Amino acid sequence: MQIKRKSAILLILLSTVLPSVGQTVESMYINNGDTVNYSYTPVAPTPQQQVIGQDSVTPRRKRLFFGRIIDYFSQSTKDRSFEKKIDFTFAGGPSYSKNTSLGIGILAAGLYRLDRTDSVTPPSNVSIFASISVSGFYSLGVEGHNIFRRNKNRIDYTAAFTSAPRDLWGIGYNSGRYNQESSYVEKHYKLNMRYLHQFLPKTFIGAIIDFEHTTGKKFKTASSGYQDIAHQRHKYTMSGVGALLEYDSRDFIPNPYRGIYLSWEEMLFPKGLGNCSSSIWRTRLTADFYKEVWSSGVLAADLYAEFNSEGTPWPMLARMGGSQRMRGYYEGKYTDNDMITIQIELRQRIWRRIGCVVWAGAGNVFPSLEKFNWSHTLPNYGVGLRWELKKRINVRLDTGFGRKTSGFLLNINEAF
C-alpha cells in the first residue's frame, strides 16, 4: 500500500513538472518491485502546432501566388453549374487580330442552369469581353445563350460597342482586289436578341429584334476606296424585326462534339425605324455539321450564305473575313451585297486542356446571284491552338491564310 501511495505521489509530481519548458526532469517510477529511472526535457510547441491529445498537427503552408493561379484554372474546367447560381472564370492577356493590331483583353466565361435539378438540359452560358489595342481600337460586349428547362425555349443575345480604326477598299470583288486602301474610324453599336421555341423535336421557330448604329469618321475622301460610298451617309441607324426557323441537335452550342445545326433567318429593317432611304431586307442561311471521328477528334463543317436587298447601306453589307469565317482576311476588304463561304475544320485535343485545329475553306462576295462569278472565289486555310478556359469553352489562337493575305487572331469560343 505504501509503495502504491509513493507511486501516485510521483505521478502527480511528474504531471506537474513536465509542462515546465526547457527544464530537465529526473524521476523514478516504482511498481511491483520494478524501478525505472529516466530524465525528460519538455520542448515548447511551436505556434504553428496544434496539440490535440498526444498528436501534433502542423497545417499546410499557404500556396504561393502562381500556385494559387494554377489551382484556380485547374478547377475551372469542372462543371459546377449544379452547385452555383453561376460559375464564372476570369482571364486576361494579350490579344491580336488583323483588324485591331496588338492589344490586351479581359474576358469572363460563365455556366449556369435555370433549374439545377435538371441534368438533361445543357447548361446556359454567358461570355463578357473587353479589349483595347495600340491602334486605338476598343470594345466591350456580352453574348450568351439562355436555355430553359428541357431546351423547350431559348434566348440568344449579343450586345456590343466597338470603336475601331478601319481600312476601306470600296464595294465589290474588284475594289478589294485592286484598289488601294483608305482609312476611317468606325463606331458601332449592336443589340441582337433572338427568342426560340421548340415546336418539334430539335426544331425551333423564333423571332428576332435587331438594332444597329454605325458612324464613320475621319474618311480619306480622296482615295479610290471612298468613292464607292461617297454618295451615302456617314451615319446610319437601323432597327429591324425578323423570324427564324432552326433545327439544332448540337450537344453544346459553344463547342459541339456532335450534331447538326440548320438556320434560316429573315430580317426586315423598315424605313420608319431608321434613317435609311428605303426599307431593306436580309436573308441568312447557315448549315453546320459536327461528328466525333476518333478519340477527342471532331470534324466540323460550316456553310454560310448572306443576301441583302438593293439599297442596303455600306455598314450593313456582307463583309468577308473576321474571327468566324475566312479567318486571315481583313474584315471588309471584300464587301458586297451577298456572300457565300464554306469551311471544314478538324479539331483535336492534344493533352489535358490543350488542343489544336486545322481548317480549309473558300468564299465569294457578289452583287446578286445573277452576277455570281466562280473566278472570284477566294481560298482560305489555317491552323490554330486551343486552351480550355471553362468546361468545353475554349480560348483560341488562329493563324489564317488566303490570297495574298494572312492574319493571326485571339478569341473565345469556336469559330462556328
Side-chain angles (χ1 to χ4, degrees), residues 17 42 73 76 103 128 132 140 175 198 239 282 302 310 336-337:
V17 173
F73 284 112
S76 66
I128 303 171
I132 186 171
L140 175 67
S175 294
Q198 184 177 171
S239 299
R282 180 180 64 208
D302 169 66
E310 292 293 333
D336 215 325
N337 262 24

Side-chain angles (χ1 to χ4, degrees), residues 39 105 124 147 151 174 184 190 206 218 228 254 260 350 353 361 367 401 407:
S39 62
S124 302
I147 302 174
N151 203 14
N174 288 328
Y184 71 104
K190 180 178 179 63
K218 301 180 180 179
D228 288 348
I260 294 174
I350 301 174
R353 304 162 75 114
F401 302 89

Side-chain angles (χ1 to χ4, degrees), residues 262-280:
L262 303 173
S263 175
W264 175 25
E265 176 185 308
E266 289 287 347
M267 288 294 304
L268 172 66
F269 296 89
K271 177 181 177 181
L273 296 181
N275 65 346
C276 191
S277 57
S278 62
S279 297
I280 61 174

Side-chain angles (χ1 to χ4, degrees), residues 145-218:
H145 307 275
N146 196 79
I147 302 174
F148 294 89
R149 184 173 176 82
R150 303 292 180 181
N151 203 14
K152 291 294 185 182
N153 299 284
R154 194 169 76 211
I155 294 177
D156 302 338
Y157 55 90
T158 300
F161 166 70
T162 302
S163 177
R166 296 185 57 85
D167 291 335
L168 177 69
W169 284 261
I171 298 173
Y173 171 84
N174 288 328
S175 294
R177 181 74 185 275
Y178 302 111
N179 283 355
Q180 290 294 320
E181 72 271 18
S182 59
S183 63
Y184 71 104
V185 176
E186 181 180 276
K187 295 185 182 294
H188 184 67
Y189 301 81
K190 180 178 179 63
L191 174 64
N192 182 278
M193 295 189 68
R194 312 193 322 163
Y195 172 78
L196 297 99
H197 171 72
Q198 184 177 171
F199 68 100
L200 290 174
K202 305 184 187 304
T203 307
F204 300 81
I205 190 170
I208 309 170
I209 297 175
D210 187 90
F211 170 82
E212 296 188 41
H213 174 80
T214 305
T215 300
K217 298 181 176 181
K218 301 180 180 179

Side-chain angles (χ1 to χ4, degrees), residues 100 104 106 129-133 136-141 160-164:
T100 63
I104 186 169
I106 301 172
F129 52 90
S131 60
I132 186 171
S133 77
F137 164 88
Y138 58 93
S139 70
L140 175 67
F161 166 70
T162 302
S163 177

Side-chain angles (χ1 to χ4, degrees), residues 6-45:
K6 288 181 180 179
S7 299
I9 293 171
L10 286 171
L11 287 172
I12 294 171
L13 290 173
L14 183 62
S15 64
T16 308
V17 173
L18 278 177
S20 301
V21 179
Q23 298 180 357
T24 301
V25 178
E26 296 184 357
S27 188
M28 177 178 67
Y29 174 65
I30 304 172
N31 187 18
N32 296 328
D34 294 328
T35 302
V36 178
N37 294 288
Y38 62 88
S39 62
Y40 176 75
T41 304
V43 179

Side-chain angles (χ1 to χ4, degrees), residues 208-284:
I208 309 170
I209 297 175
D210 187 90
F211 170 82
E212 296 188 41
H213 174 80
T214 305
T215 300
K217 298 181 176 181
K218 301 180 180 179
F219 286 93
K220 289 187 176 178
T221 57
S223 66
S224 56
Y226 176 76
Q227 302 308 313
D228 288 348
I229 65 169
H231 61 285
Q232 299 189 45
R233 293 188 179 97
H234 293 173
K235 181 185 296 186
Y236 280 97
T237 300
M238 302 298 297
S239 299
V241 293
L244 71 157
L245 181 66
E246 288 189 355
Y247 176 85
D248 191 356
S249 63
R250 293 173 295 179
D251 57 333
F252 186 58
I253 295 174
N255 183 11
Y257 290 171
R258 59 186 178 274
I260 294 174
Y261 174 69
L262 303 173
S263 175
W264 175 25
E265 176 185 308
E266 289 287 347
M267 288 294 304
L268 172 66
F269 296 89
K271 177 181 177 181
L273 296 181
N275 65 346
C276 191
S277 57
S278 62
S279 297
I280 61 174
W281 58 264
R282 180 180 64 208
T283 301
R284 285 176 175 168

